[in-house]
Amino acid sequence: MSEKVAIVFSHIGSFITGFVLAYARCWQLALAMSSILPCIGITGAIMTKFISKYMECVHYSYLLFPNLT
């Protein structure tokens, strides 16, 4: 668990550092690229919703038919 937390913090730090450097170098392009972030967030939320619903169906199927592999 602790390795995963360290990796997540490392990736978040790299992401933030990349945006800081991008805004320092060419702020117009960085601003245009950061306008895509809400679209990525919304897509991730929708995917999470569908995946959790699918996993719930799979779990229910395993409860009904426990001998299937």
Side-chain angles (χ1 to χ4, degrees):
M1 176 78 176
S2 63
E3 290 179 7
K4 291 181 182 179
V5 172
I7 290 172
V8 167
F9 280 133
S10 174
H11 288 196
I12 289 172
S14 297
F15 180 78
I16 291 171
T17 303
F19 265 96
V20 168
L21 292 175
Y23 274 108
R25 182 77 174 154
C26 180
W27 67 269
Q28 294 96 346
L29 182 60
L31 184 65
M33 289 182 63
S34 62
S35 67
I36 296 173
L37 289 177
C39 296
I40 293 172
I42 291 169
T43 304
I46 292 170
M47 286 175 50
T48 302
K49 180 181 175 185
F50 282 120
I51 289 173
S52 65
K53 187 179 246 185
Y54 173 74
M55 292 303 293
E56 185 178 319
C57 290
V58 169
H59 181 68
Y60 182 70
S61 297
Y62 279 130
L63 288 176
L64 290 178
F65 305 105
N67 295 331
L68 291 178
T69 55

